[in-house]
Amino acid sequence: MESSVNHSLDNLVKTSLNPDQIKHFNRVYYGREDNCQIELKPASLDASERLEIEIAAYSFAAAKEELREPRSVKLGVVQHSIVSPTTELVTLQRKALFDKIGNIIDLAASEGVQILCLQETWSMPFFLCTGEKERWKGFAESAEHGPSVTFLREFARKHSMVIISPILEECDGAWWNTAVVMDADGVYLGKHRKNHLPSVGSFSETEYYSLGDTGHAVFVTRYGRVAVNICYGRHHALNWLMFGLNGAEVVFNPAATIAEFGEGFWGIEARAAAVANGFYTCSINRVGTEEFLRKDGETISRTYYGSSYVTAPNGCRTPGLSRSKDGLLIAEVDLNLCRQVKDHWGFPMTARLDMYSKELSELK
């Protein structure tokens, strides 16, 4: 059971307020009185108990249109802890994570998830706080043919599921923080390399891998147009903007972030981006404590706070997952809502991108 400090705000409110108070809170905090929770299959609830993960599902509707059929898609995001100690062999650490994620993907598929995104560098501990590189190089892999892609491709085919796999990519001796996108038939669609690298405290990623060189790719999948804004990129409004201008309908934000590094605005940035750009955003953060023993004998640990959530283009959002427990969050969305919100608010029509472009080009 979670301690009180590990309870999400969502759970604290749910257990502390009466029904009328909850409606008022929901309207102000989530953007709607009812979170539109989806009833899960008994078998899914049994599986979540067996796997010791939280599972939750919500829906977002769009207005019925005369000329367009609803474009209903089920999105899934996964937050999880590592399994083996970081002192274990790379192959064993990776195998343990593969086993865990394989079970969660099967669970997601049983609930009809069509597009699934995993957390930042999901198949390894987030070792960047150690200041060491050589001992972790076994986790770096090819985006096209690496063990993570090979492993997930079979699940994509098996379940007709689009899968987004953030990894540590190695190519021609260089590293990138990369998200690989596989279509619902397991075909490799492409990759996005992280555009913005932090250099704050122990988050000094410029020492590990290169700045992304793939721009703001949007991938046309079987179920919709998706993009990936990796972790630190969520702090940059123009990063979100470019994905939207390139046609994204859903933008995933796989992350690895700790409470001391912006938990206070975790629930704000992706939500604001959804409103400003007229797309769905899916915020994913890992959970658990990861401990590392450096070569100099120093022990370093990081604890992640989970709290993954999904926001619709109209600003309504789901409750967040646990701060401390593995979880699968499902959101059934109607992609027609993207254009409906844009038409309502008129942001694309009033954006003045020509003016911004001119002034940006004149900055020194």
Side-chain angles (χ1 to χ4, degrees):
M1 182 177 291
E2 291 181 281
S3 67
S4 59
V5 72
N6 282 329
H7 274 300
S8 65
L9 173 64
D10 312 85
N11 281 334
L12 290 173
V13 168
K14 187 176 180 180
T15 56
S16 301
L17 303 182
N18 65 44
D20 287 338
Q21 291 171 326
I22 288 176
K23 281 187 176 181
H24 178 63
F25 176 86
N26 286 353
R27 180 179 62 81
V28 174
Y29 187 73
Y30 299 119
R32 54 187 183 176
E33 288 188 355
D34 187 337
N35 286 319
C36 300
Q37 193 161 358
I38 298 173
E39 184 176 355
L40 296 164
K41 299 174 182 177
S44 298
L45 297 174
D46 291 343
S48 70
E49 290 285 335
R50 184 179 71 255
L51 299 173
E52 298 183 331
I53 71 167
E54 178 186 8
I55 181 172
Y58 307 91
S59 66
F60 294 100
K64 185 177 180 180
E65 299 185 16
E66 180 181 354
L67 300 179
R68 290 197 305 171
E69 293 296 320
R71 298 179 60 213
S72 181
V73 178
K74 274 194 175 181
L75 310 175
V77 301
V78 179
Q79 66 177 41
H80 65 88
S81 57
I82 60 173
V83 180
S84 302
T86 59
T87 51
E88 188 59 271
L89 294 173
V90 166
T91 51
L92 296 180
Q93 291 188 60
R94 179 183 283 143
K95 173 64 166 55
L97 283 168
F98 280 13
D99 290 344
K100 172 185 277 195
I101 292 304
N103 287 327
I104 296 176
I105 294 175
D106 285 338
L107 174 57
S110 73
E111 285 291 338
V113 169
Q114 295 160 294
I115 305 177
L116 184 80
C117 186
L118 303 175
Q119 67 194 25
E120 185 179 20
T121 60
W122 68 272
S123 59
M124 63 179 231
F126 207 67
F127 60 80
L128 306 183
C129 58
T130 64
E132 299 174 344
K133 185 173 180 178
E134 179 68 20
R135 64 186 302 193
W136 308 105
K137 65 183 181 181
F139 285 110
E141 58 180 298
S142 163
E144 292 80 9
H145 309 292
S148 295
V149 175
T150 302
F151 170 74
L152 292 174
R153 181 177 288 126
E154 295 306 313
F155 285 90
R157 291 171 179 159
K158 173 184 176 183
H159 298 305
S160 297
M161 182 188 293
V162 174
I163 299 180
I164 300 168
S165 173
I167 62 167
L168 176 62
E169 180 194 3
E170 190 278 327
C171 181
D172 296 328
W175 288 5
W176 280 272
N177 190 324
T178 298
V180 178
V181 181
M182 285 159 275
D183 210 350
D185 54 3
V187 170
Y188 169 85
L189 286 182
K191 62 189 175 186
H192 171 73
R193 289 169 170 168
K194 189 173 181 177
N195 283 330
H196 300 277
L197 305 186
S199 185
V200 182
S202 61
F203 285 89
S204 297
E205 298 182 19
T206 54
E207 300 175 11
Y208 289 91
Y209 34 71
S210 304
L211 283 168
D213 57 2
T214 53
H216 296 85
V218 173
F219 302 93
V220 182
T221 75
R222 180 182 299 181
Y223 306 115
R225 300 189 299 274
V226 306
V228 193
N229 185 3
I230 302 174
C231 198
Y232 192 74
R234 72 180 177 276
H235 305 308
H236 295 267
L238 294 182
N239 213 37
W240 293 106
L241 171 67
M242 291 308 301
F243 290 121
L245 292 178
N246 287 341
E249 296 170 308
V250 183
V251 182
F252 294 92
N253 177 224
T257 185
I258 59 177
E260 299 89 335
F261 198 78
E263 185 176 7
F265 44 88
W266 168 254
I268 299 172
E269 290 169 303
R271 191 176 188 183
V275 175
N277 297 289
F279 48 48
Y280 289 90
T281 59
C282 303
S283 305
I284 314 157
N285 185 27
R286 63 174 61 201
V287 293
T289 297
E290 300 178 4
E291 294 188 347
F292 303 90
L293 179 63
R294 286 166 42 103
K295 288 184 177 180
D296 62 9
E298 180 184 0
T299 298
I300 297 176
S301 69
R302 271 184 172 167
T303 299
Y304 301 92
Y305 59 82
S307 306
S308 303
Y309 69 100
V310 174
T311 302
N314 59 8
C316 296
R317 57 155 288 183
T318 69
L321 289 177
S322 167
R323 294 186 79 254
S324 62
K325 191 174 182 180
D326 291 357
L328 168 64
L329 176 62
I330 299 169
E332 184 174 24
V333 308
D334 187 340
L335 297 180
N336 285 347
L337 187 61
C338 296
R339 197 180 80 178
Q340 291 176 7
V341 169
K342 290 176 183 177
D343 289 346
H344 176 75
W345 288 109
F347 293 158
M349 180 177 65
T350 60
R352 300 300 306 276
L353 296 178
D354 55 340
M355 181 177 67
Y356 302 151
S357 176
K358 179 179 181 294
E359 294 185 12
L360 285 169
S361 68
E362 293 171 352
L363 288 176
K364 295 182 180 179

